[in-house]
Amino acid sequence: MLRRSVFLLLLVALIMGIAGFGMFQPAEAAKKPMVIKFAHNGNTIPEDPQNVACYKFKEMVEERSNGELQVDIYPAAQLGDARTMVEGVQMGAIEMADIENGPMGRFVPEAMLWDLPFIFSDIDHAHKVLDGDVGKYVQEKYLGVGIRHLAFNDGGFRYFTNKVRPITNMSDLSGLKIRVMESKVMIDTINAFGASAVPMAFGELYTALQQGVVDGQENPMNLIYSQRFYEVQKYLSLSGHFYYPRQYIASENWWQTLSEEHQKILAECAKIACDIQREELARYEIEMRKVLTEKGMEINEVDKSDFIKAAQEKIYPSFYATIGNGDEAYGKELVQRVINSK
């Protein structure tokens, strides 16, 4: 009898142990975070505004979700170039990304609004439009291509650099070979300004400047610094001819698998991070002007009047139909709404 009682006690203990193990295992498994791949193709410099914002986004999301969401940052085009990353977000292979506007017109024609030269008079005008009705209207268009657009941030205005002479007005561009992105609006714009546009991959640019294949290029100030263009360029002209927005985007199919609570956390943190990035860029550009001057660059202001006239007369009309997705009148209306929002 005693032996039987001991056996029963051991059996009960074993069953309870197994039950207890089973009770704790699912709880442990439930704590495993959802991993979010967050990609961008900017540099890896920690103090760069893009990285400051991205890592703040990661910190906020993980803290607010109590560790249920984990954000893994993939900078420097580790997951592909800008277009590849957008396609990855579309397909759900990449959950989130911070992407410049360059490739966006291929997916949402209305996004080409932001590519037009001198469409924004200054940074306050840009923010007013992007955060207003026109910006929200363009954001909604992304849902039709499987992307949730969460917030705009700043890549900054783009400026000319070259090694021949300061660009103080449009005539100074005459005869210069200027590298541009492989974008029709950028190519047409630089040619309309009197220079010779040379489309070229970004990775080839430094060597091309060094060897004189091109005389100059145009980029935001933080890239002029991070890519060390000051080593092969003498003049930095504050033309601000193109505005360079970026945006936090997410895969819509993936987004719909999230709880409302997680969606809210991600949306709120994306907006906060983009606001932080804007503030950081404004501070960073002031710092970069000082640093680039110390590196030997000559920085000058630009008379923009002839540039703006050429942009509005030669470039805008040729892109109304593209921006309007085939409807020229619609495209023109969108452009005018932006201009009139000053």
Side-chain angles (χ1 to χ4, degrees):
M1 180 67 72
L2 179 61
R3 186 178 297 175
R4 183 179 178 185
S5 298
V6 171
F7 174 76
L8 289 173
L9 285 171
L10 289 172
L11 181 60
V12 169
L14 179 62
I15 291 172
M16 289 181 67
I18 293 172
F21 180 77
M23 286 170 61
F24 288 109
Q25 282 300 100
E28 290 297 320
K31 291 181 181 178
K32 186 175 181 181
M34 173 186 288
V35 177
I36 300 169
K37 293 187 293 295
F38 188 105
H40 72 73
N41 66 343
N43 61 59
T44 57
I45 298 172
E47 62 269 23
D48 186 276
Q50 186 176 26
N51 290 316
V52 172
C54 285
Y55 283 98
K56 185 62 178 177
F57 174 75
K58 169 183 171 67
E59 176 188 321
M60 290 188 296
V61 168
E62 293 177 355
E63 180 180 338
R64 293 189 184 193
S65 69
N66 295 316
E68 293 176 357
L69 299 176
Q70 175 183 317
V71 180
D72 289 352
I73 309 291
Y74 293 86
Q78 290 180 30
L79 301 186
D81 61 16
R83 181 178 178 180
T84 301
M85 284 189 284
V86 178
E87 292 171 344
V89 169
Q90 267 191 313
M91 295 184 293
I94 302 171
E95 286 79 19
M96 294 187 66
D98 179 18
I99 305 289
E100 69 268 21
N101 202 61
M104 294 307 192
R106 299 172 181 267
F107 302 89
V108 176
E110 290 85 351
M112 288 190 70
L113 266 172
W114 323 137
D115 291 338
L116 293 177
F118 295 104
I119 192 70
F120 298 117
S121 56
D122 54 35
I123 198 65
D124 290 335
H125 180 208
H127 290 169
K128 182 178 179 181
V129 172
L130 294 173
D131 298 340
D133 292 341
V134 178
K136 290 181 174 61
Y137 174 76
V138 174
Q139 283 181 299
E140 291 171 358
K141 294 292 181 180
Y142 281 81
L143 290 174
V145 294
I147 295 171
R148 179 162 293 261
H149 191 296
L150 296 171
F152 289 104
N153 64 65
D154 290 334
F157 281 94
R158 299 175 75 92
Y159 307 116
F160 288 117
T161 70
N162 81 98
K163 62 181 181 181
V164 179
R165 55 180 173 265
I167 307 301
T168 59
N169 55 61
M170 196 170 78
S171 64
D172 290 327
L173 273 175
S174 179
L176 296 183
K177 294 176 290 184
I178 302 295
R179 177 269 176 186
V180 297
M181 296 169 62
E182 296 180 15
S183 157
K184 180 170 172 52
V185 66
M186 290 187 172
I187 294 169
D188 289 357
T189 295
I190 300 307
N191 287 334
F193 288 166
S196 296
V198 181
M200 181 184 299
F202 188 64
E204 302 171 8
L205 179 53
Y206 184 94
T207 301
L209 292 168
Q210 188 178 44
Q211 296 179 351
V213 175
V214 291
D215 301 306
Q217 60 88 48
E218 48 84 49
N219 259 302
M221 206 171 294
N222 63 316
L223 288 180
I224 294 169
Y225 169 70
S226 67
Q227 300 301 311
R228 306 175 72 90
F229 292 150
Y230 53 81
E231 296 178 341
V232 288
Q233 298 278 270
K234 178 66 175 176
Y235 305 102
L236 167 56
S237 303
L238 302 178
S239 50
H241 49 283
F242 292 125
Y243 171 68
Y244 191 60
R246 292 194 183 102
Q247 44 249 305
Y248 278 24
I249 60 175
S251 166
E252 179 61 15
N253 286 339
W254 167 75
W255 186 267
Q256 292 305 325
T257 68
L258 301 173
S259 67
E260 289 186 10
E261 179 186 0
H262 285 169
Q263 289 177 351
K264 183 180 179 182
I265 288 171
L266 290 167
E268 289 179 350
C269 291
K271 182 64 172 67
I272 293 170
C274 284
D275 286 343
I276 289 172
Q277 197 274 347
R278 287 176 172 181
E279 293 170 3
E280 286 291 314
L281 184 68
R283 179 193 61 76
Y284 199 66
E285 281 217 347
I286 294 172
E287 182 182 334
M288 285 302 99
R289 287 184 67 160
K290 180 181 178 182
V291 170
L292 291 171
T293 299
E294 291 172 350
K295 295 290 186 182
M297 295 196 83
E298 294 183 14
I299 301 178
N300 66 275
E301 298 293 336
V302 176
D303 179 353
K304 301 177 183 179
S305 54
D306 287 341
F307 285 107
I308 293 172
K309 187 172 186 290
Q312 293 179 347
E313 293 179 357
K314 298 180 180 180
I315 303 301
Y316 292 9
S318 62
F319 285 91
Y320 288 152
T322 302
I323 292 169
N325 203 9
D327 186 336
E328 187 173 341
Y330 167 55
K332 183 177 181 179
E333 178 190 346
L334 286 176
V335 171
Q336 289 303 313
R337 284 175 65 184
V338 173
I339 293 173
N340 294 337
S341 296
K342 295 179 182 178

